[in-house]
Amino acid sequence: MKLTKKSHACIRLEKDGRTLVIDPGGFSEEDAAVGADAILVTHEHPDHFDEGRLRAGLDANPGAELWTLKSVSDQIAAAFPGRVHTVGHGDTFTAAGFDIQVHGELHAVIHPDIPRITNVGYLVDGGRVFHPGDALTVPDQPVETLMLPVMAPWNKIAEVIEYVREVKPQRAYDIHDALLTDLARPIYDRQIGGLGGAEHLRLTPGTSAEL
């Protein structure tokens, strides 16, 4: 499986000639979803869900389909009849040849005065990859590669480190990092890598790794 990091929270996974894209949001490249056979979206916040980017991906490939939660599917399903699927915690499905399990229900707390929205994470191919969206959801099975939200208005580095410790992945790749400056990256690399208990890795947008 090939993992390609796109800007912020978006990743592309490729296997057997097919491509799965997760969270092509407003902080990601304009063509982040173009070329996808399947697209997954974790929640409705604009840095994860951008209607223009989704439309570009779905228009570019008439066979491409989207799986997401109701708050997103309600906004785009009418434009793509039969191609948008609503999912929630506990659901399983196959998208572009990848086996997907849905984990989680709520976005992390940003502030007690801000209502929590729904958020789901996607476990790919029996734990080979887990993308939690904007939550620190711990799947009920082992995870090989954790996509780790390192910098957000709703987290702090102590929580990120504890999340890695709880999930116990073989490796963790940074995502949700558009707000993290290059000046701060060595601090995050050192602390997460030294304290998390798993190999901590980072890809610059557009670069890839074999999993």
Side-chain angles (χ1 to χ4, degrees), residues 144-157:
E144 292 182 18
T145 299
L146 174 66
M147 308 314 301
L148 181 66
V150 292
M151 172 59 176
W154 49 267
N155 73 16
K156 59 184 179 180
I157 197 167

Side-chain angles (χ1 to χ4, degrees), residues 65-188:
E65 298 180 66
L66 167 68
W67 283 262
T68 186
L69 35 65
K70 186 175 187 299
S71 58
V72 172
S73 65
D74 282 352
Q75 298 183 55
I76 198 167
F80 299 95
R83 298 171 62 189
V84 179
H85 312 280
T86 302
V87 298
H89 176 69
D91 288 340
T92 61
F93 57 93
T94 300
F98 294 85
D99 293 326
I100 310 296
Q101 299 176 23
V102 184
H103 292 262
E105 298 181 86
L106 290 173
H107 192 287
V109 175
I110 301 171
H111 186 276
D113 290 351
I114 300 175
R116 295 174 74 182
I117 63 170
T118 51
N119 175 96
V120 295
Y122 297 107
L123 190 72
V124 181
D125 280 355
R128 292 191 65 193
V129 175
F130 182 60
H131 189 306
D134 275 6
L136 302 180
T137 302
V138 179
D140 58 3
Q141 58 186 278
V143 173
E144 292 182 18
T145 299
L146 174 66
M147 308 314 301
L148 181 66
V150 292
M151 172 59 176
W154 49 267
N155 73 16
K156 59 184 179 180
I157 197 167
E159 296 170 335
V160 174
I161 291 167
E162 289 302 315
Y163 182 51
V164 177
R165 289 180 173 183
E166 192 169 1
V167 176
K168 298 181 178 68
Q170 295 180 20
R171 65 192 71 86
Y173 277 97
D174 286 356
I175 58 167
H176 214 288
D177 55 358
L179 302 180
L180 185 62
T181 68
D182 289 341
L183 189 65
R185 286 188 183 276
I187 299 171
Y188 278 70

